[in-house]
């Protein structure tokens, strides 16, 4: 008899780490929905490199640092959070779980982190606001008709959202070949809840119906004048999501952006775009501490969060892992995912010799 228990696959065992949620979700989701979440654009080079970039760094850890009970508390956009991790905007989450965005938001709220609702959500702005009381941010895709965008902003303000994240890396939807192969389109019973009903179910024909559908609701001509329009339209802090260049970062902040998200949309837009972590130091240096810089793309470990913070990020957003956790266990799944990440961050801070987030600096990292 072998002394150890037989090896169990991560698909059935309780998740021990964020990446365990993926096979578990794959087992419960229809293939085309799994592919929509998991996939990236074209060769998926950026999707892969977002992860690989984290593996290019190693820690030069401190010892005898008495970092027994690290403080993960962080502040961003004037709000306090229990850790520097928030949930990224992602479209139509009712295709992962019947409660969709409302369940993910409840989990974020319970965990003391922010939830960012996508413009293309399957739970409306108002219904989300009624689901929990924690920090909620609204992600804006500029609509081709400004009146539609203006209405979104007004509704978000009325519903108590505290920041607007303007996504700027999607003038058009990237070429996601998994979706093309699957002829993926909005699943039955799931609709864009923020759109007027006449626009909601507009089905598109052609080789890539989902992308055409998204393109109908996003502005292909997105430009700096749109950012200026948005800044003039709202007193909520506007955060620009999808920046990888120093010059763009500087210009957005000069225009009045109150924060940036270094992001390539999780490798779903321009393929061979620079990995988020590789873009981070240039953006941080360009804005010189004037506004918070968040990062998303490939964050899967507590050590990933610490690496991003060492390189100057004020926090990170998580995308796919919480969608998988939502598919597997609804709000409980997402709560569990956030707690796993919290435990990893706390343990790694102790081992790194950092008692608080402000002690994280580039000096603790080396690039290999
Ligand atoms: C996204 N993302 C996204 N971003 C955005 O600004 N608005 C949106 O509606 C969506 N929708 C969306 C759907 C799905 C299924 C995914 C996976 C992603 C991008 C998202 O906010 C974030 O930038 C990435 O997901 C971060 O990368 P990781 O954590 O998924 O690697």
């Amino acid at each position: 008899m072998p002394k150890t228990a037989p090896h169990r696959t991560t698909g059935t065992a309780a998740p021990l780490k964020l990446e365990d949620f993926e096979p578990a979700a794959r087992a419960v989701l229809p293939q085309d929905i799994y592919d929509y979440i998991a996939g990236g654009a074209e060769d998926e080079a950026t999707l892969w490199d977002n992860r690989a970039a984290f593996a290019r760094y190693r820690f030069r850890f401190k010892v005898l640092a008495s970092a027994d009970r690290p403080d993960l508390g962080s502040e961003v956009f004037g709000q306090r959070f229990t850790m520097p991790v928030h949930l990224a905007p992602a479209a139509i989450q009712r295709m992962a779980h019947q409660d969709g965005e409302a369940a993910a938001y409840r989990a974020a709220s319970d965990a003391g982190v922010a939830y960012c609702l996508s413009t293309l959500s399957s739970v409306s702005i108002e219904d989300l606001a009624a689901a929990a009381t924690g920090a909620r941010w609204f992600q804006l895709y500029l609509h081709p008709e400004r009146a539609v965008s203006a209405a979104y902003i007004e509704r978000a303000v009325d519903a108590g959202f505290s920041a607007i994240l303007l996504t700027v890396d999607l003038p058009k939807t990237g070429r996601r070949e998994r979706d093309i192969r699957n002829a993926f389109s909005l699943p039955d019973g799931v609709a864009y809840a923020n759109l007027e009903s006449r626009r909601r179910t507009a089905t598109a024909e052609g080789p890539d119906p989902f992308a055409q559908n998204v393109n109908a609701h996003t502005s292909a001509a997105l430009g700096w004048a749109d950012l200026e329009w948005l800044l003039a339209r709202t007193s909520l802090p506007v955060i620009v999501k999808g920046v990888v260049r120093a010059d763009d970062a500087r210009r957005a902040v000069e225009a009045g952006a109150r924060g940036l998200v270094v992001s390539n949309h999780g490798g779903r837009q321009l393929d061979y775009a620079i990995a988020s972590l590789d873009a981070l130091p240039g953006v941080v240096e360009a804005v010189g501490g004037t506004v918070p810089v968040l990062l998303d793309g490939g964050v899967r470990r507590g050590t990933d969060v610490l690496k991003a913070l060492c390189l100057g990020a004020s926090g990170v957003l998580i995308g796919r892992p919480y969608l998988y956790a939502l598919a597997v266990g609804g709000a409980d799944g997402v709560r569990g995912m956030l707690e796993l990440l919290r435990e990893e961050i706390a343990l790694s801070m102790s081992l790194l010799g950092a008692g608080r987030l402000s002690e994280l600096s580039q000096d603790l990292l080396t690039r290999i």
Side-chain angles (χ1 to χ4, degrees), residues 60-285:
R60 300 168 62 243
F61 60 92
K62 285 187 178 173
V63 295
L64 305 174
S66 304
D68 175 24
R69 296 169 62 86
D71 177 3
L72 276 58
S74 81
E75 192 181 320
V76 70
F77 315 136
Q79 291 172 296
R80 295 282 313 161
F81 298 104
T82 62
M83 63 175 168
V85 173
H86 308 286
L87 300 188
I92 40 178
Q93 294 176 21
R94 289 191 56 241
M95 68 183 174
H97 184 274
Q98 59 187 5
D99 298 335
E101 290 85 352
Y105 173 43
R106 274 198 293 273
S109 190
D110 291 347
V113 303
Y115 178 80
C116 188
L117 183 73
S118 168
T119 295
L120 299 178
S121 58
S122 51
V123 168
S124 71
I125 291 171
E126 293 75 16
D127 287 348
L128 188 97
T133 56
R136 45 186 182 265
W137 303 336
F138 182 68
Q139 177 267 328
L140 182 66
Y141 280 133
L142 241 295
H143 194 276
E145 293 170 43
R146 278 204 173 150
V148 176
S149 302
Y152 288 149
I153 298 162
E154 208 169 294
R155 288 169 61 193
V157 170
D158 288 349
F161 285 69
S162 56
I164 294 190
L165 274 70
L166 175 69
T167 297
V168 293
D169 59 9
L170 193 145
K172 296 180 183 181
T173 307
R175 184 179 161 84
R176 303 171 192 166
E177 292 174 358
R178 300 196 207 198
D179 293 349
I180 298 173
R181 210 167 280 125
N182 294 332
F184 180 63
S185 61
L186 275 184
D188 286 345
V190 177
Y192 296 130
N194 295 322
L195 297 171
E196 304 162 42
S197 51
R198 74 185 162 90
R199 299 176 195 266
R200 277 186 192 182
T201 47
T203 47
E205 298 299 325
D208 195 355
F210 186 78
Q212 287 173 43
N213 196 320
V214 171
N215 289 343
H217 304 299
T218 51
S219 170
L222 194 64
W224 288 103
D226 293 307
L227 175 61
E228 280 155 22
W229 173 83
L230 174 62
L231 287 161
R233 184 98 212 168
T234 181
S235 54
L236 286 184
V238 171
I239 319 304
V240 178
K241 173 175 182 279
V243 174
V244 298
R245 295 173 57 90
D247 53 359
D248 283 343
R250 229 177 270 120
R251 188 163 173 187
V253 172
E254 280 165 13
R258 302 260 290 277
L260 301 171
V261 183
V262 173
S263 173
N264 47 43
H265 217 104
R268 300 163 73 81
Q269 287 298 107
L270 177 66
D271 199 21
Y272 296 95
I274 184 172
S276 300
L277 193 71
D278 289 338
L280 178 66
V283 170
V284 167
E285 194 192 342

